[in-house]
C-alpha cells in the first residue's frame, strides 16, 4: 500500500475542508485533502455542487421566468412579452455550467497553494492515519494534524424514504422537467426556497409543515411577507400536518392534520426537506475516541475535538449548518495549526433565507434579547418608504435594528425584502465592529439604495428618522 505523509490531512473537500486546506497551504504547511466525490459531487461539497450555488441559479431562473409571465399579463413598466416558455433542461445545463466553473476554480486554488488532492473514500484508522480507497488501489496517509470536514446529508423520513417520486434537494436540483404537482415536506428554508422556485416555473406546489407556521426558526414579523407571497403564488401551505407515507399506488402522499381527517395529496414529485444531518458514518469515526455532542462531533472554541491534534469544522460540528460558518472555522483551524493564536467566535454569523422576499438575520432577535435580560430599543423602516425599493417594484418588507436601551449597542439586525441578502455583509460588520445606533446613523449611505433602510431604521430607534 502506497503511503503519504503530511503535516495536515483534511478529510472532505466542501467549504470547510477546502478553505482549511487553502489557508494551511498559504501558511506554508504540507497539506493533503481527501475528497470522495459521491452524491455531493466532489470539490466544493454540498454547497457548491448540490446546495447553495445550484439552488440560487434555479431560483434566479425562476424569478426571471415569472417576471416574463407577468409582463405577458400586464405591462407596468411598458414592457410587452408574449407567451414566454421555458426549456428547463437548458436551465439545468446552465446551472451545471456555473457549478463546473466554480469546482474547477476550487481545484485550481488548491493546486496553486500546493495542496495534494487524493480522490477516494477515506477511512480513519486512528487519530493520525487514514486509508483511502482510490481508483488505483488503497493509499495510506499519515499526518500530524487531522481536520474532519465531512459535512452533512439530507435527513430522510422513515415514512418517506428517498427513491422514485420521493426526492431530496439534491435530486430536485437536477430534474430535467418541472413537475406538474410538487409536494414539499418541510417549510424550512430549503423547502420554501425550492418550492417557491418551482411554483414560479409552473408547478402546483403544496407545502406540508408539522409546526404551526412556516419558517419556525424566524420570528413571526419576518415571516409574514413571505407567507403573503406564497399565497399570491398559489402555494398551498398545510401547517400542523405530518406526512405519514405514500398511497398504495405510490402516486400520492398521505398526510394527517391535527383536528382533521387524513387525506392524500397527488404528486409527481415529493420533496422531503425536513433538514440535514451530520455525516458521521462511513469514514471510521467510530475508531476515534471523540466526545460527541448529540449527533455531532463536540468541539471547543478553537474547533479542537477531544483528541489531540484532531480538529473538526462545518456541519459535522452542529448548527448552524452554514457554508460561511464552515469556512470561517477552517481559517481558524489552519492558523492554529500554523502556530497562530486564534479562537472561533460564532456570535455574528449571518443567516439568509432566499425565499421571496428574502430574509436575513444577524445577532439577537427581540425575543432572544429579552430572554437575555436586555432592555432594548427597536427601529423598523419599511421598504414602502424606500425610493430604491419602489423603483424595483419590491416594496414589501423592512429593515429592523435592535439595540440596548442604555448604551445603544446594536444587538441584532434583520431584514425581509427583495435582495436583502446583499445587506448581510453590512449587518454582520456592524455587529462585529461593536457599532452603536449613532455609528450607523452617522454613516452616510448612498442614495438611492436599499441600504438606506438600514440607516433609517437606526435613526428611528434613536427617534430621529427622517423619511417616515
Amino acid at each position: 500500500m502506497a503511503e503519504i505523509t503530511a503535516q495536515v490531512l483534511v478529510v472532505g473537500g466542501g467549504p470547510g475542508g477546502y478553505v482549511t486546506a487553502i489557508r494551511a497551504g498559504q501558511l506554508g504547511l504540507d497539506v493533503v485533502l481527501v475528497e470522495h466525490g459521491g452524491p455531493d459531487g466532489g470539490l466544493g461539497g454540498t454547497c457548491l455542487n448540490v446546495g447553495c450555488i445550484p439552488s440560487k441559479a434555479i431560483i434566479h431562473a425562476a424569478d426571471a421566468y415569472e417576471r416574463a409571465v407577468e409582463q405577458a399579463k400586464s405591462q407596468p413598466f411598458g414592457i410587452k412579452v408574449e407567451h414566454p416558455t421555458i426549456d428547463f433542461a437548458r436551465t439545468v445545463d446552465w446551472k451545471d455550467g456555473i457549478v463546473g466553473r466554480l469546482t474547477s476554480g476550487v481545484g485550481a486554488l488548491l493546486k496553486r497553494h500546493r495542496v495534494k488532492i487524493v480522490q477516494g473514500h477515506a477511512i480513519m484508522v486512528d487519530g493520525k492515519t487514514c486509508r483511502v480507497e482510490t481508483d488505483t488501489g488503497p493509499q495510506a496517509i499519515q499526518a500530524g494534524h487531522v481536520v474532519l470536514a465531512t459535512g452533512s446529508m439530507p435527513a430522510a423520513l422513515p415514512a418517506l424514504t428517498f427513491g422514485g417520486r420521493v426526492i431530496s434537494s439534491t435530486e430536485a436540483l437536477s430534474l430535467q422537467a418541472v413537475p406538474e404537482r410538487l409536494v414539499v415536506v418541510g417549510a424550512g428554508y430549503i423547502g420554501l426556497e425550492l418550492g417557491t422556485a418551482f411554483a414560479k416555473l409552473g408547478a402546483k406546489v403544496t407545502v406540508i409543515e408539522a409546526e404551526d407556521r412556516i419558517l419556525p426558526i424566524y420570528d413571526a414579523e419576518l415571516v409574514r411577507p413571505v407567507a403573503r407571497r406564497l399565497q399570491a403564488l398559489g402555494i398551498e401551505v398545510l401547517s400542523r400536518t405530518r406526512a405519514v407515507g405514500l398511497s398504495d399506488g405510490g402516486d400520492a402522499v398521505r398526510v394527517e392534520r391535527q383536528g382533521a381527517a387524513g387525506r392524500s395529496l397527488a404528486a409527481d414529485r415529493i420533496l422531503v426537506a425536513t433538514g440535514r444531518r451530520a455525516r458521521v458514518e462511513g469514514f471510521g469515526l467510530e475508531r476515534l475516541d471523540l466526545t460527541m455532542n448529540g449527533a455531532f462531533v463536540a468541539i471547543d472554541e478553537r474547533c479542537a475535538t477531544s483528541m489531540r491534534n484532531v480538529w473538526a469544522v462545518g456541519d459535522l460540528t452542529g448548527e448552524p449548518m452554514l457554508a460561511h460558518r464552515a469556512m470561517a472555522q477552517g481559517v481558524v483551524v489552519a492558523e492554529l495549526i500554523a502556530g497562530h493564536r486564534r479562537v472561533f467566535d460564532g456570535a455574528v454569523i449571518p443567516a439568509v433565507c432566499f425565499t421571496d422576499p428574502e430574509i436575513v438575520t444577524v445577532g439577537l432577535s427581540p425575543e432572544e434579547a429579552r430572554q437575555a435580560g436586555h432592555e432594548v430599543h427597536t427601529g423598523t423602516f419599511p421598504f414602502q418608504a424606500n425610493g430604491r425599493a419602489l423603483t424595483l417594484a419590491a416594496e414589501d418588507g423592512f429593515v429592523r435594528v435592535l439595540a440596548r436601551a442604555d448604551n445603544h449597542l446594536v444587538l441584532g439586525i434583520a431584514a425581509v425584502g427583495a435582495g436583502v441578502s446583499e445587506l448581510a455583509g453590512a449587518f454582520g460588520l456592524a455587529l462585529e465592529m461593536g457599532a452603536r445606533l449613532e455609528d450607523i446613523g452617522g454613516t452616510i449611505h448612498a442614495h438611492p439604495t436599499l441600504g438606506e433602510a438600514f440607516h433609517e431604521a437606526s435613526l428611528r430607534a434613536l427617534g430621529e428618522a427622517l423619511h417616515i
Side-chain angles (χ1 to χ4, degrees):
M1 181 186 301
E3 184 171 305
I4 299 173
T5 60
Q7 291 174 288
V8 183
L9 164 65
V10 180
V11 181
Y18 82 70
V19 168
T20 303
I22 288 172
R23 183 63 182 134
Q26 289 175 342
L27 294 168
L29 299 174
D30 179 27
V31 187
V32 175
L33 182 147
V34 180
E35 170 54 46
H36 66 86
D40 292 342
L43 292 176
T46 294
C47 177
L48 200 158
N49 290 276
V50 293
C52 316
I53 298 301
S55 67
K56 303 315 167 283
I58 297 297
I59 288 169
H60 175 70
D63 288 345
Y65 178 66
E66 188 216 11
R67 285 195 293 270
V69 170
E70 288 301 314
Q71 295 303 317
K73 297 176 181 177
S74 62
Q75 295 88 43
F77 309 141
I79 302 171
K80 186 176 182 180
V81 176
E82 294 185 3
H83 310 300
T85 61
I86 185 168
D87 182 344
F88 192 63
R90 286 189 62 185
T91 304
V92 172
D93 287 343
W94 168 73
K95 176 266 294 183
D96 290 343
I98 294 170
V99 171
R101 287 173 60 187
L102 291 173
T103 54
S104 296
V106 170
L109 288 169
L110 291 166
K111 183 177 180 180
R112 181 189 306 171
H113 296 292
R114 300 172 300 282
V115 175
K116 180 176 178 58
I117 302 169
V118 177
Q119 295 281 355
H121 184 194
I123 300 291
M124 297 305 301
V125 177
D126 54 40
K128 291 185 178 297
T129 310
C130 171
R131 186 182 73 250
V132 183
E133 299 297 333
T134 73
D135 292 339
T136 58
Q139 178 131 47
I141 303 173
Q142 287 212 350
H145 294 264
V146 173
V147 183
L148 302 176
T150 55
S152 63
M153 58 201 304
L157 291 176
L160 290 173
T161 56
F162 295 127
R165 297 187 186 218
V166 182
I167 61 175
S168 71
S169 57
T170 298
E171 292 78 33
L173 292 168
S174 295
L175 294 174
Q176 292 300 298
V178 177
E180 184 177 338
R181 300 162 302 178
L182 175 67
V183 172
V184 179
V185 183
Y189 73 94
I190 296 175
L192 289 191
E193 285 181 7
L194 293 178
T196 298
F198 280 107
K200 291 178 177 180
L201 292 167
K204 172 59 180 174
V205 177
T206 302
V207 177
I208 301 168
E209 173 54 49
E211 299 294 332
D212 292 340
R213 61 177 177 83
I214 63 171
L215 298 173
I217 66 171
Y218 293 98
D219 64 75
E221 186 180 27
L222 293 170
V223 172
R224 286 190 196 103
V226 178
R228 288 195 295 267
R229 183 63 172 137
L230 294 177
Q231 186 176 20
L233 288 169
I235 297 175
E236 182 181 13
V237 178
L238 302 177
S239 59
R240 301 187 302 278
T241 303
R242 294 183 180 276
V244 295
L246 294 176
S247 64
D248 292 340
D251 59 350
V253 58
R254 295 183 293 109
V255 300
E256 293 180 352
R257 191 176 191 183
Q258 296 178 22
R263 59 185 285 200
S264 293
L265 303 173
D268 300 294
R269 297 286 183 175
I270 302 160
L271 170 58
V272 177
T274 52
R276 299 183 64 83
R277 63 183 182 88
R279 193 184 300 276
V280 296
E281 301 170 348
F283 66 94
L285 181 65
E286 66 279 1
R287 300 181 183 181
L288 305 180
D289 185 21
L290 299 183
T291 300
M292 301 296 291
N293 179 19
F296 306 106
V297 172
I299 56 173
D300 62 14
E301 72 280 359
R302 303 182 309 139
C303 301
T305 71
S306 55
M307 287 187 70
R308 178 179 172 83
N309 292 342
V310 176
W311 315 78
V313 300
D315 293 359
L316 180 66
T317 65
E319 298 288 353
M321 290 187 177
L322 298 170
H324 43 284
R325 171 180 176 262
M327 293 177 180
Q329 288 178 321
V331 170
V332 167
V333 168
E335 294 182 356
L336 282 166
I337 293 172
H340 298 198
R341 293 175 59 86
R342 289 295 307 275
V343 295
F344 175 72
D345 182 0
V348 182
I349 303 177
V352 181
C353 183
F354 289 87
T355 44
D356 180 5
E358 297 173 349
I359 299 175
V360 57
T361 61
V362 185
L364 301 180
S365 69
E367 180 60 27
E368 290 169 337
R370 284 190 288 269
Q371 290 177 354
H374 297 296
E375 184 179 347
V376 298
H377 285 166
T378 302
T380 300
F381 191 83
F383 284 120
Q384 290 175 330
N386 177 269
R388 181 56 175 155
L390 296 180
T391 66
L392 294 171
E395 59 187 77
D396 199 9
F398 57 86
V399 175
R400 184 182 69 200
V401 179
L402 180 75
R404 284 176 50 163
D406 56 353
N407 61 8
H408 298 172
L409 180 70
V410 177
L411 300 175
I413 310 168
V416 55
V420 296
S421 58
E422 296 302 323
L423 299 178
F427 294 172
L429 184 63
L431 264 70
E432 188 69 37
M433 300 296 289
R436 286 170 163 72
L437 293 172
E438 290 84 355
D439 296 319
I440 301 168
T443 299
I444 298 173
H445 287 67
H447 173 78
T449 63
L450 297 178
E452 287 179 283
F454 180 30
H455 181 236
E456 288 280 357
S458 301
L459 291 176
R460 195 175 189 188
L462 291 168
E464 301 172 4
L466 298 172
H467 291 92
I468 192 170

